[in-house]
Amino acid sequence: MHVLWRDEHLIAVYKPAGWLVHRTGLDAHETRFVMQTLRDQIGQRVFPVHRLDKGTCGVLVMALHAEAARALSQAFAAQQTHKRYLALVRGWLPAELHVDHALKPDDAPEDAPVQPAQTTLRCLARLDWPEAYDPRHAGTRVSLIEALPLTGRRHQIRRHLKHVAHPIIGDATHGKGPLNRWWAERLGQQRLWLHAQALSLPHPVSGEMLRLEADWDLLADQVSDVRDWQRVMGLPGWVYGVAR
């Protein structure tokens, strides 16, 4: 695992796309786990304090002892953390959009109460691909967006983007299968285009705010995910500076 930051209380790593954070019976055939790999790499136990989906790449934090795990878990539960994600989505997202759409847990029964969920979305760049997925249009539109979740519901960003009709490219659960396959043929791979770019949180001992970032420029030579993103963002035709 590529280590982004570490002290005696916590460690931040770059989680590659396609890796699970820990073992789960829901994906019994997977063999790549961040917790076990990192434990073997640094020679000590690690404690999960938050989660990234299997398909999501980027900043993942783990505690290095139980007291730090409790403090960090409480910070996440109290919404004292700030997360920044990047995503490639269908269509041209408005310059800025605030989504306030309550969500039920994915596996909740029909009569379960919804939970408040808010996400701020900003469009960073737009591309009009000169080939039509839909024959009614001359090209196919896609946006690079910034997602700032204000709450921490499971799959919140993915579900909110589906709610506003701009699903993430490659999202097999909340996106459009035929469109995902169409883009996979053109981008050279099938994957979820969601990147946990930065995370700010209070240090579990000092309380000082830490900003942990997966900087593409610094990681390009070491992380294949980053090169995938840079290749896509290097395609001709992107128009940047959409968000106000």
Side-chain angles (χ1 to χ4, degrees):
M1 308 302 302
H2 184 85
V3 176
L4 302 171
W5 195 90
R6 179 184 180 183
D7 67 6
E8 65 268 34
H9 306 292
L10 65 91
I11 186 168
V13 299
Y14 186 96
K15 175 196 168 298
W19 285 57
L20 291 170
V21 174
H22 51 73
R23 296 181 188 274
T24 171
L26 299 177
D27 206 337
H29 301 293
E30 184 54 70
T31 60
R32 299 171 298 177
F33 308 99
V34 175
M35 281 186 62
Q36 286 76 12
T37 300
L38 185 58
R39 177 199 62 200
D40 295 345
Q41 177 177 325
I42 67 174
Q44 70 178 95
R45 185 179 178 188
V46 296
F47 299 75
V49 295
H50 71 124
R51 175 171 50 188
L52 293 179
D53 295 338
K54 178 180 177 180
T56 305
C57 57
V59 179
L60 180 71
V61 169
M62 293 198 176
L64 295 178
H65 54 80
E67 292 80 7
R70 281 192 290 271
L72 290 169
S73 295
Q74 289 170 1
F76 278 97
Q79 299 178 17
Q80 296 172 341
T81 62
H82 304 283
K83 307 170 189 175
R84 181 180 190 261
Y85 289 78
L86 301 176
L88 202 63
V89 305
R90 183 183 74 174
W92 282 3
L93 191 84
E96 186 164 332
L97 187 63
H98 181 72
V99 184
D100 187 351
H101 177 64
L103 299 169
K104 292 181 182 179
D106 285 344
D107 54 356
E110 285 296 322
D111 59 350
V114 295
Q115 300 171 320
Q118 298 91 32
T119 307
T120 295
L121 305 171
R122 297 192 181 105
C123 187
L124 303 178
R126 292 170 176 164
L127 173 67
D128 194 355
W129 185 272
E131 184 181 1
Y133 165 74
D134 185 333
R136 295 174 297 177
H137 305 289
T140 304
R141 291 178 169 182
V142 66
S143 300
L144 174 70
I145 67 111
E146 173 189 66
L148 307 172
L150 306 180
T151 51
R153 309 307 175 199
R154 187 165 184 256
H155 292 174
Q156 176 175 313
I157 295 172
R158 296 165 64 181
R159 295 168 74 185
H160 274 177
L161 283 163
K162 176 185 179 181
H163 177 69
V164 298
H166 292 282
I168 299 174
I169 303 301
D171 190 337
T173 304
H174 304 287
K176 303 292 184 180
L179 181 62
N180 289 341
R181 292 188 289 273
W182 188 90
W183 274 115
E185 292 175 358
R186 283 143 187 86
L187 300 179
Q189 60 179 303
Q190 176 65 57
R191 59 159 294 170
L192 176 69
W193 291 96
L194 179 62
H195 172 65
Q197 193 267 335
L199 170 64
S200 297
L201 76 173
H203 189 276
V205 175
S206 70
E208 178 186 359
M209 286 298 292
L210 297 176
R211 178 178 169 83
L212 307 166
E213 184 173 355
D215 187 296
W216 283 350
D217 291 334
L218 297 178
L219 293 170
D221 293 338
Q222 305 168 64
V223 181
S224 61
D225 278 333
V226 172
R227 294 192 293 273
D228 294 340
W229 276 94
Q230 289 182 325
R231 179 173 51 81
V232 170
M233 299 319 301
L235 295 171
W238 282 103
V239 177
Y240 288 85
V242 177
R244 291 186 294 272

